[in-house]
Amino acid sequence: MKLTQYFKKFFESSQSSGIILILCVLVSLFIANSSLGTGFQNILDSHLGPYSVAEWINDGLMSVFFLLVGLEIKREMLEGELSNIKNASLPIFAAIGGMLVPALIYAFFNNGTEYAKGWGIPMATDIAFSLAIISMLSSRVPASIKIFLAALAIVDDLGAILVIAIFYTEQLHWSYLLISGGILVLLVLFNKLGVKKHIFYLIPGAALWYCMHHSGIHATIAGVLLAFTIPTNASETEISPLEKLEGMLHTPVNYLIMPIFALANTNIVFQKGMVDGLFTSFGAGIIGGLIIGKLVGILFFSFIAVKLGISKLPQHSKWSQMVGVGLLAAIGFTMSIFIAILSFKGHQDIQDEAKFAILVASTLAGFGGYTVLKLTSKKRRRIN
């Protein structure tokens, strides 16, 4: 398989940043449960201009992360493995299964209860953490598997954002949506006219982010939309605007944005009774939905797509490795916590129970996925 240079660089740099990311999670948990916790939360709640520090991180900085991922996916769709319809279709089918089955499992446990509204919690895959963990396996895992997980994760997150927009948005502001549409048309026009300077995309992109943020739809989708308007080319000698922007974003995203995000979003305060909550219908719906639902949904829908001849497995991969990918996709974390907050506004106790269940499920999924991929890759090398 011919892997583009920039996509390979993305995962190589993520390998070292993954360790930093995990350390930031541990530091954040320590701070939240120490005497520093209140002060740290006050910092996150303080305002810089119209938004809190937490909003700037979750909606602003993470839009840059989504921009980078969107650039990588666009390149692979146009020139790499995902340009083949059978390869490109598999992540889509897998993501659909990985959203539907978890939601059904959660609803099975919580339908008709006060927790019923949280059905969207186990649907999401955390791009940052899942890619960081798989990148730590370096060359042990086929590059095609990493590309598959990246594509699956972004389709999954876009699906989660759509769910939020439809089912968890209290009010859509159509005027901002229309302006966002107009800006997007302008960006596409620049692309068609052959405009190559980044400034003509990034300034309207900032306006697109602002309008998306005020429209009621999660602002990070602006990063993905912007990415798909950045021009590229088929030349292997001339560096395109897309490639240049990728190169500029790798270091700040992997070593600044993702660690800051981890610090800000894992400050969960452990409280008495949280462990017991894992064995309630609420905890079972979240943990079962994420771990079992993601794994079964991704594998089943992928299996059907492959058997029907619609898709094919990533190159040099096997079903045992897909099990590891299914487990890594169960790291819901960021978006799951976000949906939990939206689902139970004004109920801090329920939010804390949800966050703890998400943390436990994501941790188990991360360790499980890493272990499965490491073991199956070792076995593959011995056979070869």
Side-chain angles (χ1 to χ4, degrees):
M1 180 193 69
K2 182 178 178 182
L3 184 67
T4 64
Q5 177 185 357
Y6 281 86
F7 203 79
K8 183 177 180 180
K9 181 180 178 183
F10 176 73
F11 285 111
E12 289 176 344
S13 62
S14 294
Q15 181 180 355
S16 55
S17 68
I19 298 174
I20 298 175
L21 193 64
I22 294 172
L23 288 176
C24 286
V25 172
L26 297 176
V27 169
S28 183
L29 288 171
F30 173 78
I31 292 175
N33 292 277
S34 69
S35 58
L36 302 173
T38 302
F40 184 62
Q41 187 61 50
N42 289 338
I43 292 175
L44 293 175
D45 293 336
S46 61
H47 276 67
L48 291 176
Y51 310 117
S52 68
V53 172
E55 286 180 303
W56 279 116
I57 294 171
N58 294 336
D59 294 350
L61 290 182
M62 284 305 286
S63 292
V64 180
F65 172 79
F66 274 79
L67 170 60
L68 176 59
V69 174
L71 291 171
E72 301 291 355
I73 296 299
K74 177 180 178 179
R75 166 167 284 280
E76 289 304 313
M77 289 178 66
L78 293 178
E79 302 173 16
E81 183 185 3
L82 298 183
S83 60
N84 181 299
I85 185 62
K86 286 193 174 183
N87 291 339
S89 62
L90 187 63
I92 296 176
F93 280 104
I96 292 173
M99 289 186 285
L100 289 178
V101 178
L104 290 174
I105 289 178
Y106 181 94
F108 173 79
F109 282 102
N110 295 283
N111 187 41
T113 70
E114 61 178 323
Y115 307 114
K117 193 177 180 182
W119 57 269
I121 294 174
M123 293 179 66
T125 293
D126 191 297
I127 293 180
F129 284 92
S130 59
L131 294 189
I133 291 176
I134 198 171
S135 65
M136 292 173 68
L137 290 162
S138 188
S139 58
R140 294 179 180 178
V141 176
S144 59
I145 284 284
K146 299 175 183 179
I147 296 172
F148 170 76
L149 178 60
L152 184 156
I154 197 169
V155 173
D156 189 292
D157 254 11
L158 289 174
I161 291 172
L162 186 61
V163 168
I164 290 170
I166 298 174
F167 299 100
Y168 290 97
T169 298
E170 295 182 356
Q171 183 179 4
L172 286 175
H173 301 281
W174 292 101
S175 57
Y176 281 108
L177 279 177
L178 289 174
I179 296 174
S180 297
I183 295 173
L184 188 59
V185 169
L186 177 65
L187 290 168
V188 173
L189 182 62
F190 284 161
N191 182 296
K192 295 298 182 182
L193 293 175
V195 177
K196 295 184 177 181
K197 289 188 176 181
H198 292 132
I199 193 71
F200 289 100
Y201 294 93
L202 296 181
I203 291 180
L208 176 64
W209 175 88
Y210 179 85
C211 292
M212 291 294 288
H213 188 276
H214 283 72
S215 70
I217 296 177
H218 203 261
T220 51
I221 196 174
V224 178
L225 294 175
L226 173 61
F228 277 81
T229 66
I230 304 296
T232 186
N233 56 47
S235 173
E236 295 185 1
T237 56
E238 180 186 357
I239 300 177
S240 69
L242 185 146
E243 292 170 324
K244 289 180 182 178
L245 188 57
E246 288 176 52
M248 291 188 289
L249 291 178
H250 282 303
T251 298
V253 165
N254 287 318
Y255 295 100
L256 183 64
I257 291 177
M258 289 169 64
I260 289 176
F261 177 79
L263 281 171
N265 286 278
T266 50
N267 59 326
I268 301 170
V269 180
F270 298 131
Q271 298 178 0
K272 185 178 180 180
M274 276 189 166
V275 175
D276 294 335
L278 299 177
F279 302 96
T280 63
S281 62
F282 187 44
I286 293 176
I287 297 175
L290 278 171
I291 297 179
I292 299 175
K294 281 288 183 184
L295 180 59
V296 172
I298 289 171
L299 287 179
F300 179 71
F301 274 65
S302 297
F303 180 79
I304 294 299
V306 170
K307 287 302 179 181
L308 291 178
I310 301 173
S311 310
K312 63 180 180 180
L313 283 177
Q315 196 169 13
H316 304 306
S317 67
K318 52 189 178 182
W319 285 108
S320 58
Q321 291 171 320
M322 293 289 284
V323 172
V325 172
L327 287 170
L328 288 185
I331 304 175
F333 211 76
T334 309
M335 195 63 74
S336 292
I337 289 177
F338 182 69
I339 295 176
I341 294 172
L342 294 178
S343 300
F344 305 109
K345 282 186 177 180
H347 299 279
Q348 187 63 48
D349 55 337
I350 300 179
Q351 289 181 10
D352 289 341
E353 289 180 30
K355 288 181 180 180
F356 184 62
I358 293 166
L359 176 62
V360 170
S362 298
T363 301
L364 292 174
F367 278 111
Y370 178 89
T371 301
V372 169
L373 284 172
K374 186 175 182 179
L375 292 176
T376 54
S377 296
K378 277 187 176 181
K379 184 177 181 181
R380 178 178 62 86
R381 290 205 305 274
R382 291 194 189 103
I383 291 175
N384 293 339

